[in-house]
Each structure stands twice: as structure tokens, then as C-alpha cells.
Amino acid sequence: MSQYYDMGDQTLWNPSNGASRLFLSQVSVYQAEVGLPSGIGPMKADECQIDPTLFTAFVHALLAWHRRTSHAVMAALSEGFIATVLVLAERAAIEVNWQAADRADGRELTDVQVPMGPGPSEGAWAAALRQKSRELGRFMPT
């Protein structure tokens, strides 16, 4: 069995039920973390519609949240979810604003790891997430 994540008439992802269930559970967690709705609608009859306006805002808020978090465990826990969201954003032709996320780095850091090592540079941070997203996209059928 599988489920469909659609934006309008376009299927962005067709995961197994288990992968979908795990992803939707994480959506709830990260909506609470960033304080915004994701735009990822409820799963009904194995189909889920994604609202492009809400999803775009969620993607940008999620990237900014991730950039401000310098806690190694939180970064590791969130990277897979964020890479999955980036694959969906790319397939939806959403222009990801990496510069805004990088500027979020200048704001107060949250959940700082102690002791804190140097964080990734602006370019390295974005490049690592892009690479992870590209690799993951190969395993996300449409």
C-alpha cells in the first residue's frame, strides 16, 4: 500500500504507508517547533493535498529554525525530515530562500550544545542540506 502527497494535480511523493505515517508524525512536531502550519493536509483515502502558500512559508521557517539550532543532537534528528521536505519543495518548484535562512544565523541561537564547537559556514550548511536532499530524492517515488 502507498499514499500520495499531491499539490494540485501533481504527485510529489508516493511513499509506503509506514514512511508516510512517520513523516506525518514528524510534520506535527516541526509545526510546533516553528509555530506555523505546514500546509500538508490530512491524509484522506490515501491522499494528502499540500497547500503551496503555507508549505512555502513552512519550508523557509524550518530552514531558519534549523540554522539557528546549534545543538548536535537536534541537528541530527531534524536533518532527515528537513531533507525530505526539501525534496517535496523542489518537486513543487518552490524557490528555497537559502539566504534568509543563513541570515537567521545572526539571530540568537537556540538550544545551544555545550560545549559548543564551531558551526558550519553559511555555504557549507546549505550545501550539506542540498546534498542530503538530492541523495534522499532518489528514494522518494512519485
Side-chain angles (χ1 to χ4, degrees), residues 9-141:
D9 293 336
Q10 179 186 6
T11 297
L12 303 179
W13 187 26
N14 178 226
S16 68
N17 288 351
S20 180
R21 184 175 52 253
L22 185 59
F23 176 73
L24 284 176
S25 294
Q26 290 182 344
V27 167
S28 298
V29 168
Y30 290 101
Q31 285 178 138
E33 283 296 316
V34 301
L36 289 176
S38 65
I40 299 172
M43 189 61 67
K44 294 181 181 175
D46 291 330
E47 293 183 359
C48 172
Q49 278 294 320
I50 300 175
D51 177 286
T53 303
L54 292 175
F55 187 62
T56 299
F58 179 72
V59 169
H60 292 135
L62 188 61
L63 286 174
W65 171 86
H66 187 265
R67 187 66 175 134
R68 285 190 315 272
T69 302
S70 64
H71 194 285
V73 174
M74 289 180 69
L77 289 170
S78 61
E79 283 175 359
F81 176 77
I82 294 169
T84 304
V85 166
L86 288 172
V87 171
L88 297 177
E90 180 181 336
R91 291 177 179 177
I94 291 172
E95 187 72 31
V96 175
N97 188 347
W98 293 95
Q99 286 74 32
D102 275 337
R103 283 193 297 274
D105 190 44
R107 296 190 339 202
E108 181 180 332
L109 293 175
T110 59
D111 297 303
V112 176
Q113 179 83 33
V114 178
M116 190 170 117
S121 69
E122 293 176 10
W125 170 80
L129 273 177
R130 284 183 180 129
Q131 180 62 29
K132 188 173 201 83
S133 175
R134 276 192 293 275
E135 290 170 4
L136 187 60
R138 297 181 314 151
F139 302 101
M140 293 176 63

